Amino acid sequence: MITFNLPKGAARLIVLQRIELIDPFLIKLRKFFGRYIFSNFITKYFLNSNSIAKKYHVVMSKEFSTIERFIKNDDKSFLSIGGGIGGLELIINQNFKNNDYYFIERNYVSKKVRYGWGGMDNEEAYNDLNLQKTFLKINEMNENQINIFDYDNENLPEKKFDIIISLLSLDYHYDFNLYEDYLKKVSKPDTKIIFDTIRADYFSNIFRKVEIIKTDSNTVHKSKRLVCTGFLDL
């Protein structure tokens, strides 16, 4: 597979989650008309779904390449926090079979796109959970593998996970402390927690092992991608 199948409306969610995927012309329209018009009108009617699907597949394949070596065949339970519509998990599913995927997401699209650090506030969202489930299913993830939780309306899953992934979300847009207690509940001593941050040194005081696997100097935040295992106080 070199692209994704996109249900109607999914291309809009993808570009709101990954703004770098839009064409230069649409970037100009966004700057000219502003974020509100871009989010609520332009992204609904002026996107090329086929182009977005291919670009999104390329980006998710590159993201997978940064974490692939940390995924083992006996890692069967995955948790995604703020991972968007789920393209990365589809790539993982194509390469590692018989896994269960849990997603923690918010089920609305913010009226005005805002990217940046939110601290202890986590109010921005660009997702539709019904569309997400449809997207996963039409791209060959079985329904019994999919477990989607609405951050605002449901109890979060409380089971032990092998791998927890939150790329460009946890401690990138909102503070790690929002999830710290929860992550301790759902982690084993060898659970791998993978996320992006601008304060890599901070986490040596929280985890037994912290490994930097990617440094991105091109992002606004100049972030580092970490793989962390073993909370020090557990």
Side-chain angles (χ1 to χ4, degrees):
M1 180 185 292
I2 59 172
T3 189
F4 290 122
N5 296 313
L6 291 187
K8 186 177 181 180
R12 176 183 180 233
L13 297 178
I14 289 170
V15 299
L16 291 176
Q17 295 162 5
R18 292 273 184 163
I19 197 69
E20 69 271 19
L21 296 180
I22 64 173
D23 295 330
F25 175 69
L26 292 182
I27 293 175
K28 292 180 180 178
L29 290 181
R30 177 173 178 256
K31 291 179 179 178
F32 182 80
F33 288 106
R35 295 177 178 181
Y36 183 87
I37 296 296
F38 175 80
S39 303
N40 295 281
F41 182 75
I42 293 174
T43 58
K44 288 183 178 180
Y45 302 107
F46 292 94
L47 294 179
N48 183 324
S49 294
N50 290 333
S51 174
I52 296 298
K54 291 177 181 178
K55 290 180 180 179
Y56 184 51
H57 191 278
V58 168
V59 170
M60 291 298 101
S61 296
K62 289 180 179 177
E63 297 287 45
F64 173 69
S65 71
T66 70
I67 68 172
E68 181 179 8
R69 63 190 173 98
F70 298 97
I71 304 174
K72 309 304 179 185
N73 288 326
D74 56 354
D75 290 325
K76 296 299 182 183
S77 187
F78 290 74
L79 173 63
S80 169
I81 300 175
I85 203 168
L88 175 61
E89 288 70 28
L90 286 173
I91 301 292
I92 295 172
N93 192 53
Q94 292 165 10
N95 289 272
F96 296 89
K97 303 300 183 183
N98 303 315
N99 299 326
D100 292 323
Y101 298 92
Y102 290 73
F103 302 86
I104 298 175
E105 294 291 334
R106 307 192 86 157
N107 193 28
Y108 62 86
V109 175
S110 298
K111 293 295 184 183
K112 191 174 182 180
V113 178
R114 186 185 69 170
Y115 303 109
W117 176 252
M120 291 299 287
D121 294 322
N122 179 23
E123 299 300 327
E124 298 302 306
Y126 313 102
N127 214 348
D128 178 311
L129 302 190
N130 289 326
L131 268 180
Q132 180 184 3
K133 187 172 185 178
T134 299
F135 172 69
L136 295 171
K137 289 170 62 178
I138 66 175
N139 286 281
E140 301 179 3
M141 186 179 287
N142 294 327
E143 186 164 7
N144 61 6
Q145 295 178 277
I146 303 169
N147 306 272
I148 301 176
F149 290 78
D150 188 331
Y151 175 86
D152 297 298
N153 297 328
E154 299 182 45
N155 293 326
L156 302 184
E158 293 199 6
K159 60 169 291 178
K160 301 296 185 181
F161 292 98
D162 297 310
I163 295 183
I164 299 171
I165 302 173
S166 186
L167 304 190
L168 304 180
S169 187
L170 178 65
D171 216 66
Y172 187 85
H173 287 305
Y174 49 90
D175 201 298
F176 180 87
N177 292 332
L178 280 170
Y179 274 93
E180 184 173 356
D181 290 341
Y182 172 71
L183 292 175
K184 289 176 181 177
K185 291 181 183 179
V186 299
S187 294
K188 302 177 291 186
D190 60 348
T191 295
K192 288 156 280 192
I193 304 176
I194 306 172
F195 60 99
D196 298 286
T197 182
I198 62 170
R199 50 174 184 168
D201 293 343
Y202 170 78
F203 292 95
S204 62
N205 297 316
I206 295 178
F207 293 100
R208 291 186 177 88
K209 182 179 180 182
V210 177
E211 182 176 349
I212 298 172
I213 62 172
K214 178 185 177 186
T215 298
D216 197 339
S217 59
N218 294 321
T219 61
V220 173
H221 303 298
K222 306 297 186 290
S223 60
K224 298 182 188 302
R225 181 160 297 166
L226 308 182
V227 175
C228 302
T229 53
F231 281 97
L232 287 171
D233 58 354
L234 289 182

